[in-house]
Coordinates of all heavy atoms in Angstrom, one line a residue:
A1 N -8.4 -14.6 1.8 CA -9.4 -14.2 2.7 C -10.5 -13.4 2.0 O -10.3 -13.1 0.8 CB -8.7 -13.3 3.8
P2 N -11.5 -13.1 2.7 CA -12.5 -12.1 2.1 C -11.9 -10.8 1.5 O -10.8 -10.4 1.9 CB -13.5 -11.8 3.3 CG -13.2 -12.9 4.2 CD -11.8 -13.4 4.1
A3 N -12.6 -10.2 0.6 CA -12.0 -9.0 0.0 C -11.6 -8.0 0.9 O -10.7 -7.2 0.7 CB -12.9 -8.5 -1.1
K4 N -12.4 -7.8 2.0 CA -12.1 -6.6 2.9 C -11.1 -7.0 3.9 O -11.2 -8.0 4.7 CB -13.4 -6.3 3.7 CG -13.1 -5.2 4.7 CD -14.3 -4.3 4.7 CE -14.1 -3.2 5.7 NZ -13.1 -2.2 5.5
A5 N -9.9 -6.4 3.8 CA -8.8 -6.8 4.7 C -9.0 -6.1 6.0 O -9.7 -5.0 6.2 CB -7.5 -6.2 4.1
T6 N -8.6 -6.8 7.1 CA -8.7 -6.2 8.4 C -7.6 -5.2 8.7 O -6.5 -5.2 8.1 CB -8.6 -7.3 9.5 OG1 -7.3 -7.9 9.5 CG2 -9.8 -8.4 9.2
T7 N -7.8 -4.3 9.7 CA -6.8 -3.4 10.1 C -5.6 -4.1 10.5 O -4.5 -3.7 10.2 CB -7.4 -2.5 11.2 OG1 -8.6 -1.9 10.8 CG2 -6.3 -1.6 11.7
K8 N -5.7 -5.2 11.2 CA -4.6 -6.0 11.7 C -3.7 -6.5 10.4 O -2.5 -6.4 10.6 CB -5.0 -7.2 12.5 CG -3.9 -8.1 13.0 CD -4.4 -9.3 13.8 CE -3.3 -10.1 14.1 NZ -3.7 -11.4 14.7
E9 N -4.4 -7.0 9.4 CA -3.6 -7.5 8.2 C -2.8 -6.3 7.6 O -1.8 -6.5 7.2 CB -4.6 -8.1 7.3 CG -5.3 -9.4 7.7 CD -6.2 -9.9 6.8 OE1 -7.1 -9.1 6.3 OE2 -6.3 -11.1 6.4
I10 N -3.6 -5.3 7.4 CA -2.9 -4.1 6.8 C -1.7 -3.6 7.6 O -0.6 -3.3 7.1 CB -3.9 -3.0 6.5 CG1 -4.9 -3.5 5.5 CG2 -3.2 -1.7 6.0 CD1 -6.1 -2.5 5.3
R11 N -2.0 -3.5 8.9 CA -0.8 -3.0 9.8 C 0.3 -4.1 9.7 O 1.5 -3.6 9.6 CB -1.4 -2.9 11.2 CG -0.4 -2.3 12.2 CD -0.9 -2.0 13.5 NE -1.6 -0.7 13.5 CZ -2.9 -0.5 13.6 NH1 -3.7 -1.6 13.9 NH2 -3.4 0.6 13.4
E12 N 0.1 -5.4 9.8 CA 1.2 -6.3 9.7 C 1.9 -6.2 8.4 O 3.2 -6.3 8.3 CB 0.7 -7.7 9.9 CG 0.2 -8.0 11.4 CD -0.5 -9.3 11.6 OE1 -0.8 -10.0 10.5 OE2 -0.7 -9.7 12.6
W13 N 1.2 -6.0 7.2 CA 1.8 -5.9 6.0 C 2.7 -4.7 5.9 O 3.9 -4.7 5.5 CB 0.7 -5.8 4.9 CG 1.3 -5.5 3.6 CD1 1.8 -6.3 2.7 CD2 1.4 -4.2 3.0 NE1 2.3 -5.6 1.5 CE2 2.0 -4.3 1.7 CE3 1.1 -2.9 3.4 CZ2 2.3 -3.2 1.0 CZ3 1.3 -1.7 2.6 CH2 1.9 -1.9 1.4
A14 N 2.1 -3.5 6.4 CA 2.9 -2.3 6.4 C 4.2 -2.4 7.3 O 5.2 -1.9 6.8 CB 2.1 -1.2 7.0
I15 N 4.2 -3.0 8.4 CA 5.3 -3.2 9.3 C 6.4 -4.1 8.5 O 7.5 -3.8 8.5 CB 5.0 -3.7 10.6 CG1 4.1 -2.7 11.4 CG2 6.2 -4.2 11.3 CD1 3.5 -3.3 12.7
G16 N 5.8 -5.2 7.9 CA 6.7 -6.0 7.1 C 7.4 -5.4 5.9 O 8.4 -5.7 5.6
E17 N 6.7 -4.3 5.4 CA 7.2 -3.6 4.2 C 8.2 -2.5 4.7 O 8.7 -1.8 3.9 CB 6.1 -3.0 3.4 CG 5.3 -4.0 2.6 CD 6.2 -4.7 1.5 OE1 6.7 -3.8 0.7 OE2 6.2 -5.9 1.4
G18 N 8.2 -2.3 6.0 CA 9.1 -1.2 6.5 C 8.5 0.1 6.5 O 9.2 1.2 6.7
R19 N 7.1 0.2 6.4 CA 6.5 1.5 6.4 C 6.3 1.9 7.8 O 6.1 1.1 8.7 CB 5.2 1.4 5.6 CG 5.4 1.0 4.2 CD 4.1 0.8 3.4 NE 4.3 0.4 2.0 CZ 4.3 1.4 1.0 NH1 4.0 2.6 1.3 NH2 4.4 1.0 -0.2
K20 N 6.1 3.2 8.0 CA 5.8 3.7 9.4 C 4.5 3.8 9.6 O 3.6 4.3 8.9 CB 6.4 5.1 9.5 CG 7.9 5.2 9.5 CD 8.4 6.6 9.8 CE 9.9 6.6 9.8 NZ 10.5 7.9 10.3
V21 N 4.0 2.9 10.6 CA 2.6 2.8 11.0 C 2.5 2.6 12.5 O 3.3 2.0 13.1 CB 1.9 1.7 10.1 CG1 2.5 0.3 10.6 CG2 0.4 1.7 10.4
S22 N 1.5 3.3 13.1 CA 1.3 3.2 14.6 C 0.9 1.8 14.9 O 0.2 1.1 14.1 CB 0.4 4.2 15.1 OG -0.9 3.9 14.7
F23 N 1.1 1.3 16.1 CA 0.6 0.0 16.6 C -0.8 0.0 17.0 O -1.4 -1.0 17.2 CB 1.5 -0.5 17.7 CG 2.9 -0.7 17.3 CD1 3.9 0.1 17.5 CD2 3.1 -1.9 16.6 CE1 5.2 -0.1 17.2 CE2 4.5 -2.1 16.2 CZ 5.5 -1.3 16.5
R24 N -1.5 1.3 17.1 CA -2.8 1.5 17.5 C -3.4 2.6 16.7 O -2.7 3.4 16.0 CB -3.0 1.8 18.9 CG -2.5 0.7 19.8 CD -2.6 1.2 21.3 NE -4.0 1.4 21.6 CZ -4.5 1.9 22.6 NH1 -3.6 2.0 23.7 NH2 -5.7 2.2 22.9
G25 N -4.7 2.6 16.6 CA -5.5 3.6 15.9 C -5.7 3.5 14.4 O -5.5 2.4 13.9
R26 N -6.1 4.6 13.8 CA -6.3 4.5 12.4 C -5.1 4.3 11.5 O -4.0 4.7 11.9 CB -7.0 5.8 11.9 CG -8.5 5.9 12.2 CD -9.1 7.1 11.7 NE -9.3 6.9 10.2 CZ -10.4 7.1 9.6 NH1 -11.4 7.5 10.2 NH2 -10.5 6.9 8.3
I27 N -5.2 3.7 10.4 CA -4.2 3.6 9.4 C -4.5 4.6 8.4 O -5.6 4.8 7.9 CB -4.2 2.1 8.8 CG1 -3.9 1.1 10.0 CG2 -3.2 1.9 7.7 CD1 -4.1 -0.3 9.6
S28 N -3.5 5.2 7.9 CA -3.6 6.3 6.9 C -4.1 5.7 5.6 O -3.8 4.5 5.3 CB -2.3 7.0 6.7 OG -1.4 6.3 5.9
A29 N -4.8 6.5 4.9 CA -5.4 6.1 3.5 C -4.2 5.8 2.6 O -4.4 4.8 1.8 CB -6.2 7.4 3.0
A30 N -3.1 6.3 2.7 CA -2.0 6.0 1.8 C -1.5 4.6 2.0 O -1.1 3.9 1.1 CB -0.8 7.1 2.0
I31 N -1.5 4.2 3.3 CA -1.1 2.8 3.7 C -2.1 1.8 3.1 O -1.7 0.8 2.6 CB -0.8 2.6 5.2 CG1 0.3 3.5 5.6 CG2 -0.6 1.2 5.5 CD1 1.7 3.2 5.2
V32 N -3.3 2.1 3.4 CA -4.4 1.2 2.9 C -4.4 1.1 1.4 O -4.5 0.0 0.8 CB -5.8 1.7 3.4 CG1 -6.9 0.9 2.7 CG2 -5.8 1.7 4.9
R33 N -4.1 2.2 0.7 CA -4.1 2.2 -0.8 C -2.8 1.4 -1.2 O -2.9 0.6 -2.2 CB -3.9 3.6 -1.2 CG -4.2 3.8 -2.8 CD -4.1 5.3 -3.2 NE -4.9 6.2 -2.4 CZ -4.5 7.1 -1.6 NH1 -3.1 7.3 -1.5 NH2 -5.3 7.9 -0.9
A34 N -1.7 1.6 -0.6 CA -0.5 0.8 -1.0 C -0.7 -0.7 -0.7 O -0.3 -1.5 -1.5 CB 0.7 1.3 -0.1

């Protein structure tokens, strides 16, 4: 996909990795960095 990932893609990845992330709102910089 284009270089800029969507919030949805990052959230789905984080959930799949077992990381704690809310289902709505901002995603922490640490999650985006990971």
Side-chain angles (χ1 to χ4, degrees):
K4 178 137 175 74
T6 66
T7 302
K8 180 182 176 187
E9 288 173 316
I10 296 172
R11 183 171 280 115
E12 288 174 351
W13 172 84
I15 291 168
E17 289 289 309
R19 297 176 182 262
K20 291 187 178 186
V21 63
S22 66
F23 291 104
R24 296 180 55 182
R26 281 187 76 127
I27 297 174
S28 74
I31 297 289
V32 174
R33 193 174 315 112

